[in-house]
Amino acid sequence: MGIGELADAFARKSLSPVEVSRALLERIEAAQPLLRAYSHVDPQRTLEEARQSEARMRRGERLGMLDGVPVSYKASYGVRGWPATSGTIALADRRADQDHALVARVRALGGVTLGLTGMPDLGFCTCSISSEAGVIRNPWDISRTTGGSSAGAGAAAAAGLGPMHFGSDGYGSVRLPAAWTGTIGFVPGSGSGLLARGIDDIAHVYAAMGSGVRWHSERGRWAGYLPMPAQQPFPERGLPPLASLAGLRVAYLPQASPDSFPPEDDVMAVVEAAVHAIAAGDGIEIERLAPLLPLGSKAASGVTVFTKARRDILADFPAERFALLDVLPRELTERAAAVSDVEFEQAQRRAHEIWDDFTLTRPLDRFDIVLTPSVRIRPFQADQRYPDGYDPYLVPHGLDDGTATVIELGIFNMLGGWSCFNLPCGFTRDGLPVGLQVAIRPSADAVALSMQATAHLQRVLGMQPATMPFD
């Protein structure tokens, strides 16, 4: 049952928000020892919120389209009174004194807070290892990672541990776990994002949230990057179907940069077959693009962005807390501290040169839709922090956090304003999900078009929501 149907059933009183929340809490409890998807649940508080929702329904005082609907939030979101750990035991004693803006909006619409989903410490990793939650595992194969950093959200969505999961995406952190868990991941720009099983679920939540909600971060605006345009009003009862991509300019970018991590043939064969099926199904020409970013762009931007962030962490954490961080963020931070001011300024200039040139030429602006592989490799082992063969010393004077595996995702964060979906498009020979990224050029109707186009492509590919491994 989709979120829209669930919300309608609550409003008709044919389903009970309390019973639905209780069933999900029981499901979470049963799956938690295996998957570690959640870092915090509070059944008493969740059921009290559900009881309040049910009482409103009886009085005919429904707050909105999400009243009674259980939702989870990534551990980086503040939920008043709950742990505010960002995935690390180094912050285990910290509590949120207020709700994050999106949490407050969902609460005002009657959404029921199901829990916090796990993430790698401070989000500085594409893996799913957390000093707080433990090793978060992929429901399709529990020996495999979900990817990060919205790791628990991906596991929860795939395992049916709630209908909607809020994550965050500064360099692919929603779309990566969505790709590796066979779920829908959506990011309307760069910042907050959603993971769910169906595109209609995403559309329902986005419509419920309404205008005026700030989804977007300022990341990606290095030198006048395009800001997110004001979005047109979003209909409450779905969007008209898109009959075809005919008339739209569509491109396929199989590799964003020479710095991209080498692909696996099995994964790319699935993506290439999907792109071919789309072109044939809609009778359109899809232009194949060569890598857009120059060699060295990953290293330059890595030193510039991540060195500053990690220096800030070092300054904020006293020694006794710093020692509690997972080994990867500790090493990342220590190596970042060794970058001299001169090296940092040189890298910053080089990064600006690369991205200024990219944004001045704007090679993607002539397309309405750009298709890419979401990730060009299958998920690696859950207890690893990198895929086999990955060079963590790719970034000079730093320790890379695995983002060379997701440059095809991160490029749209850096540009800013692109509305992006991960769409499951098939499976590897060993049964692991493969994702296709659908990126829509910034415009006032980008979010609506992204949902219409992705739903259409799902039909073209015959990839209606798959039976998930825990169903």
Side-chain angles (χ1 to χ4, degrees), residues 2 17 20 49 97 156-157 200 283 299 349-350 377-378 404 424:
V20 169
E49 290 183 12
D97 57 6
D200 288 345
R349 283 196 298 271
R350 176 59 180 145
I377 61 173
R378 57 167 56 80

Side-chain angles (χ1 to χ4, degrees), residues 125-190:
C125 189
T126 55
C127 70
S128 56
I129 299 173
S130 166
S131 66
E132 178 186 40
V135 178
I136 302 165
R137 298 183 179 275
N138 193 324
W140 291 92
D141 179 348
I142 61 171
S143 73
R144 304 273 182 168
T145 183
T146 59
S149 61
S150 301
L161 308 180
M164 178 57 60
H165 310 276
F166 281 87
S168 60
D169 190 310
Y171 204 88
S173 291
V174 161
R175 291 159 290 161
L176 169 59
W180 278 348
T181 61
T183 55
I184 304 292
F186 170 61
V187 182
S190 181

Side-chain angles (χ1 to χ4, degrees), residues 303 338-348 397:
V303 170
V339 177
S340 71
D341 290 342
V342 171
E343 290 166 332
F344 179 80
E345 290 171 5
Q346 289 173 342
Q348 191 173 44
H397 306 290

